[in-house]
Amino acid sequence: MMLNAWHLPVAPFIKQQQDKLIITLWLRGDDLPQRVTMRSEVDNEEMALPMRRSGKAPSRDIVQWRAEISLHEGQPRRRYAFKLLWDDRQQWFSPKGFSAFPPAKLELFAFDYPDAGPQWVTEQVFYQIFPDRFARSPSRSDQQDKVYHHHAAGHDIVLRDWDDPLTAEAGGSTFYGGDLDGISEKLPYLKALGVTALYLNPVFTAPSVHKYDTEDYRQVDPQFGGNDALLRLRHNTQREGMRLVLDGVFNHSGDTHAWFDRHNRTPSGACHHPDSPWRDQYSFSPEGKALDWLGYASLPKLDYRSQALIDEIYGGEDSIVRHWLKAPWNMDGWRLDVVHMLGEAGGAKNNLKHVAGITQAAKATRPDAYVLGEHFGDARQWLQQDAEDAAMNYRGFTFPLWGFLANTDISYDPQKIDAQTCIAWMEDYRAGLSHQQQLRMFNQLDSHDTARFKSLLGRDVARLPLAVVWLFSWPGVPCIYYGDEVGLDGDNDPLCRKPFPWDESKQDKNLLALYQRLAALRKATPALRLGACQVLYAAGDVVVFLRVLGAERVLVAINRGEACDVTLSDSPLLHVAHWQRREGDAQLEGMRLTLPAISASVWTGH
């Protein structure tokens, strides 16, 4: 029998006992090691801790080894791996499996104790709202539909009726009139869906519909109802026990911001006045041209060499970051737009310093604030240095699913991958994060910056429910992009930003019911919110994984292809008294799964 090992950074493999963490490894096979040590660390120094055999294994053929990590010393992120020793050789065991050589420091098991991150996040189901396109309040005033000249677009903004079709024309200056009171009025709908937290795209004053061209960081846009409407929404969400996270656009401002003032509304904007008090808050070429974000002249880059800018954005006692986390607003956190590009001198110099500064300012004001970064690329360098609590998990969740289920990548180039490749991608990414960080990662199928997942699937739209099951069962906090739950479609920006179809005849009721069931299952099942993840099978069209927390198990089987049978390898983690199927039509008998074509099934057991 080949050697097998099991360890996950949760109970029953980790147990706190007074001032120690008891770490357990299970081994099974014909050629067991004579000795096992645990590679741990104290203040970045590697330590070899001897492990001892323990008789309390889950079954007779399992050998259990134990070691202790002192909680009196070292850093809160407890990293470790296992070194298996025979008379003439060694092997290592870490999150990526067996290795003949020591695993990299950032690919060890990692468990945060104490865990300083916001504890509330793992309990949530998030919902992302693009405010102009979610709901229009009947009480909306005429002033909120004021037409004005949109300089960046070169024409007046366009107002459309809610049911008018969205086109690709005038994407940034076409308004449908969604507002914050509209969101307040739809909170009963969101509660019935199972949503417990909202993430809003930018709400601050700006000329465009998307509001990423901020004109005033301290005022809510009048079209959305102004500050009073945001305060009403905050009070309403608090009454319903719902969290609220804002979008912070601190890499660039808009060119209409008074600090910059491209259109000469004031006598002292940085754009035209070298002696402006805000001149050093932007970067200029030797010829005096402002450096902008990715060629968008309406989005001049902020320059964090400026101490005045640092104080205004995050450093000062009433900085923008702190202001909205304080009373009366009491927001629950920030999503940070293109935060990896923020920095000094028109680029990202000293980026980590400033991102960490934003997070530290947020935590100083509200210790349980949730700070997550937007990264389409690899976010792990920010997470590993705790510059952020979490990231929008494009690289570790969204894109592997796109490749496996929709055969596309973020550039909309073809990418056909099998289950083994998909899981290798996801597991490689997770291996660089602590268990608690994995649980707080922000998982989405799509967003305002991508095509809708339903549209990406094209002729494979029958696979959509598979992705929804995966969203609610993979480690991380699920976020629903508004309208996904009723089957809203749309290609890339701006077509992914259609108005929500409140006409129920235009809604996919079966899909909505699936979202509701999965949100309820997640709420009722601690292993889905807090458990570790063990992939049991990944080949061809099929992925099977297990969530584990103490004695609780959740088994998830995804099949994108034809009906098939899969036999799982025997694992002590699968030894439960009774499996209860909670979703799907697959059959489970012993270690044998019978999977219908294009299906996702979920079981729970103890």
Side-chain angles (χ1 to χ4, degrees), residues 83-102:
K83 184 181 183 183
L84 284 53
L85 291 155
W86 291 261
D87 286 340
D88 59 349
R89 69 189 193 281
Q90 63 179 252
Q91 243 186 334
W92 291 78
F93 183 67
S94 69
K96 295 175 77 170
F98 287 114
S99 171
F101 54 86

Side-chain angles (χ1 to χ4, degrees), residues 44 112 134 145 167 211 237 335 341 357 361 457 482 591 601:
N44 300 320
D112 294 337
F134 180 61
D145 288 326
T167 69
K211 307 298 176 197
T237 52
R335 177 263 194 190
M341 300 186 76
L457 287 169
Y482 82 95
M591 295 292 114
S601 298

Side-chain angles (χ1 to χ4, degrees), residues 6 8 419-420 423-424 426-427 430 470 474 532-539 542-547 568 573:
W6 293 272
L8 295 168
Q420 187 174 6
I423 289 301
M426 297 174 83
E427 293 289 82
R430 282 203 309 134
W470 213 329
W474 193 254
C533 182
Q534 178 86 50
V535 176
L536 302 176
Y537 185 92
V542 177
V543 171
V544 183
F545 60 89
L546 190 68
R547 298 295 300 277
L568 303 176
L573 294 174

Side-chain angles (χ1 to χ4, degrees), residues 214-283:
T214 314
E215 186 172 301
D216 189 336
Y217 289 101
R218 294 183 183 270
Q219 299 297 325
V220 175
D221 198 288
Q223 287 184 300
F224 293 163
N227 289 5
D228 290 345
L230 182 61
L231 196 56
R232 286 191 291 272
L233 178 60
R234 173 72 286 203
H235 290 158
N236 290 332
T237 52
Q238 287 175 320
R239 188 183 66 246
E240 298 292 350
M242 299 173 78
R243 301 283 183 161
L244 186 57
V245 171
L246 297 180
D247 205 328
V249 189
F250 306 134
N251 169 68
H252 52 265
S253 75
D255 65 355
T256 60
H257 198 295
W259 300 342
F260 192 80
D261 191 27
R262 182 183 300 280
H263 308 296
N264 267 322
R265 295 176 180 172
T266 69
S268 55
C271 181
H272 302 294
H273 300 90
D275 59 349
S276 166
W278 301 296
R279 184 78 173 189
D280 72 339
Q281 296 183 185
Y282 297 91
S283 300

Side-chain angles (χ1 to χ4, degrees), residues 29-45:
D30 294 331
D31 185 18
L32 294 170
Q34 277 91 36
R35 291 186 296 126
V36 179
T37 62
M38 185 168 71
R39 178 263 186 231
S40 185
E41 61 182 31
V42 175
D43 297 330
N44 300 320
E45 176 70 13

